[in-house]
Amino acid sequence: MPMESQLLNNRYKLLAQIAAGGMALVYKAQDTMLNRIVAVKILRESYAQDPAFQKRFTREAQSAANLSHPNIVTVYDFGRDGDRQYIVMEYIEGRDLKSVIRSEGPLPLARALDIAIQVCAGVGTAHRAGVVHCDVKPQNVIITADGHAKVTDFGIARAFSAIGQMVDRAPVR
């Protein structure tokens, strides 16, 4: 049975694959309980049995779920259906910044600055919450038709406390 015709936890009906990353696939889905379109990120099967990847995926969900800002994709839910671990997020109609740059670049200075300011606002909010994104790049920024930028994919985010512990343990030269 194709993934798109499946229902996760009797709630999220997968409609179509919209993105693929190194450790997960992202689907446009219907939340049947709240009757809204969402994005569902599902950990790839090849990583589903690996405790390190499961932990990383869980950390992404926890890091992003505690962030609330207009320039950060909102996380709604996190769960498991059988062997499939997933994150449910706000669905953003738009294109990633890499695609925008490739099709329209170089961007006019005013537009580039507007996008950069929005990305910095989202990342700054994450920093103030103690979360470092660690992978800010054009593929992890979605641009809507009206020019609104949203930072996504906190897959390798680190908590400041963890970074502080690493720095504390670093040898002094």
Side-chain angles (χ1 to χ4, degrees), residues 36-116:
R36 66 179 171 187
I37 297 296
V38 295
V40 177
K41 184 174 189 174
I42 301 174
L43 186 62
R44 287 184 182 270
E45 287 182 34
S46 55
Y47 299 117
Q49 302 304 318
D50 185 327
F53 279 98
Q54 290 177 5
K55 185 176 181 180
R56 181 175 164 186
F57 199 70
T58 300
R59 186 176 59 237
E60 175 183 357
Q62 292 169 338
S63 294
N66 292 311
L67 301 174
S68 178
H69 189 274
N71 298 112
I72 297 175
V73 171
T74 303
V75 170
Y76 297 136
D77 193 11
F78 172 74
R80 180 181 296 276
D81 185 350
D83 289 339
R84 293 179 295 179
Q85 197 170 355
Y86 63 88
I87 300 170
V88 180
M89 302 168 285
E90 167 185 20
Y91 176 76
I92 307 297
E93 189 74 49
R95 299 183 299 156
D96 67 63
L97 181 56
K98 182 176 183 177
S99 299
V100 172
I101 292 169
R102 282 197 170 152
S103 67
E104 302 173 27
L107 300 179
L109 181 60
R111 183 161 186 222
L113 285 172
D114 180 50
I115 291 169

Side-chain angles (χ1 to χ4, degrees), residues 69-72 97 110-126 128 136 141-144 146-151:
H69 189 274
N71 298 112
I72 297 175
L97 181 56
R111 183 161 186 222
L113 285 172
D114 180 50
I115 291 169
I117 289 167
Q118 291 182 63
V119 170
C120 289
V123 170
T125 294
R128 286 186 294 281
V136 177
V141 176
I142 299 173
I143 307 296
T144 64
D146 65 355
H148 192 76
K150 292 262 194 173
V151 178

